[in-house]
Amino acid sequence: MNKIQKYFEYRQSLIDQYIMGDMTKSEYLEKNFDAVLGLRREPFKYLDNIDKCLFNYQFYNAHAKESKMIASSAVSPKSKAQHLKEVDFYYAKKDAATLKALELMDFKGVSAYFIKVKSKHMKYRLFEIKLTEPNTILHSMNEGILSRLRNEGVFQDEVKVSQADMYINQRY
């Protein structure tokens, strides 16, 4: 088993602990961030397989969430603005990894839909992408990805409960 697969197994154990209530969302995010950095200090430059794309998705998502937590506790407006700029940067990189994964899969074994959220800001913006193989869910609000999913005929224009509903709808 390669290092990326070991990371995803460890991440799944963190998710299981979170679901069972053994850790908070913030604790999960911190441990996942540490695990991402424990595997690689930098993302993959060449995304030539699904595992690398999914790792980069997690790498950038973890960094975005970390920057968001730092921004929320920043004292100075300048520091807060800088961290929020980083959040946007990391989410854009995460979305690029998502799109590359979908293209490598040729959009086969993919379904997507809007998810039910408590946040008014994310309503009809946040969507879930289900990958059959590997059995994975991704999330995005990227209009370009949404458009591409629709063009490829894999986006269902309906609202469903996320497979990660508890996680999605809990603040951190």
Side-chain angles (χ1 to χ4, degrees):
M1 179 181 306
N2 69 35
K3 288 181 181 181
I4 297 173
Q5 291 169 332
K6 285 182 183 179
Y7 159 74
F8 281 111
E9 280 189 4
Y10 176 70
R11 181 177 169 271
Q12 185 59 53
S13 76
L14 293 176
I15 291 169
D16 293 344
Q17 291 173 60
Y18 168 72
I19 289 170
M20 293 175 61
D22 292 340
M23 71 173 68
T24 66
K25 185 172 182 177
S26 294
E27 290 170 328
Y28 162 77
L29 291 173
E30 287 177 34
K31 288 180 186 250
N32 185 54
F33 182 75
D34 291 343
V36 164
L37 291 181
L39 179 61
R40 288 184 62 93
R41 291 281 176 197
E42 295 181 4
F44 289 101
K45 289 182 181 179
Y46 303 104
L47 300 180
D48 55 359
N49 68 52
I50 301 301
D51 283 346
K52 288 180 181 179
C53 293
L54 295 178
F55 176 79
N56 276 18
Y57 173 99
Q58 291 300 329
F59 181 91
Y60 290 120
N61 195 48
H63 279 278
K65 301 245 189 279
E66 181 76 6
S67 292
K68 191 173 182 180
M69 285 192 286
I70 293 169
S72 70
S73 62
V75 176
S76 81
K78 185 176 180 178
S79 177
K80 182 174 186 154
Q82 176 59 37
H83 288 291
L84 290 175
K85 189 175 179 181
E86 290 173 6
V87 170
D88 292 341
F89 170 80
Y90 290 131
Y91 278 144
K93 291 290 195 175
K94 177 195 80 157
D95 286 332
T98 299
L99 185 57
K100 183 63 177 178
L102 294 169
E103 289 171 346
L104 285 172
M105 297 175 69
D106 198 27
F107 292 83
K108 304 285 188 254
V110 174
S111 64
Y113 43 83
F114 289 114
I115 55 177
K116 186 176 180 178
V117 291
K118 292 177 183 175
S119 166
K120 289 181 173 115
H121 169 71
M122 294 192 304
K123 194 171 189 175
Y124 297 107
R125 293 186 63 216
L126 182 63
F127 54 92
E128 188 162 88
I129 305 166
K130 286 177 56 176
L131 309 179
T132 306
E133 189 57 42
N135 183 16
T136 303
I137 59 170
L138 309 174
H139 295 100
S140 182
M141 294 193 303
N142 182 283
E143 291 290 328
I145 294 174
L146 178 60
S147 178
R148 186 74 187 274
L149 290 164
R150 284 180 167 145
N151 289 341
E152 296 291 337
V154 296
F155 191 85
Q156 304 158 9
D157 266 310
E158 59 185 274
V159 178
K160 295 183 178 182
V161 174
S162 171
Q163 288 189 334
D165 183 61
M166 183 176 92
Y167 174 82
I168 293 292
N169 284 300
Q170 184 179 38
R171 291 184 165 266
Y172 56 96

